[in-house]
Amino acid sequence: MFQDTELKALLDENDAQTQQELTEQLEVAQSTISDRLKAMGKIQKEGKWVIYELNETQQENRKTINDMLLARYEKSLFCIKL
């Protein structure tokens, strides 16, 4: 069984590696690599593995959209009951 430190070291070495390449180097199933990358909060953007985080503006936009969708849903339920 490999350690997350080994996976992190490989990504530090070359963050443009594919899951298949990481699978071959660590000699584990691709699903294992996928699960570990997800647990580490890594996603692949523009061919590189980066930490997935929303900035403050993106977080606020998501909250606003969620509030609007919830209000629309609640309004549609009210209209159905009439």
Side-chain angles (χ1 to χ4, degrees):
M1 184 87 176
F2 78 97
Q3 301 291 320
D4 285 351
T5 53
E6 294 174 86
L7 179 55
K8 186 177 178 334
L10 287 174
L11 292 174
D12 288 344
E13 223 176 83
N14 177 5
D15 61 0
Q17 296 180 78
T18 65
Q19 284 190 29
Q20 183 61 40
E21 291 169 333
L22 295 168
T23 296
E24 291 168 2
Q25 291 178 54
L26 294 171
E27 299 177 350
V28 294
Q30 187 168 351
S31 61
T32 303
I33 296 294
S34 179
D35 291 344
R36 297 313 311 145
L37 288 168
K38 192 177 290 186
M40 293 167 70
K42 298 277 189 174
I43 61 169
Q44 198 166 37
K45 281 191 176 178
E46 298 177 10
K48 295 184 178 192
W49 292 101
V50 295
I51 294 176
Y52 177 74
E53 292 179 4
L54 297 177
N55 64 34
E56 193 171 320
T57 302
Q58 291 169 325
Q59 290 174 3
E60 289 173 15
N61 287 342
R62 278 202 181 177
K63 184 181 181 325
T64 301
I65 291 169
N66 285 337
D67 290 344
M68 290 170 48
L69 289 171
L70 181 59
R72 185 170 72 178
Y73 173 76
E74 289 170 347
K75 182 179 177 183
S76 70
L77 286 179
F78 178 75
C79 291
I80 292 172
K81 291 180 182 179
L82 294 179

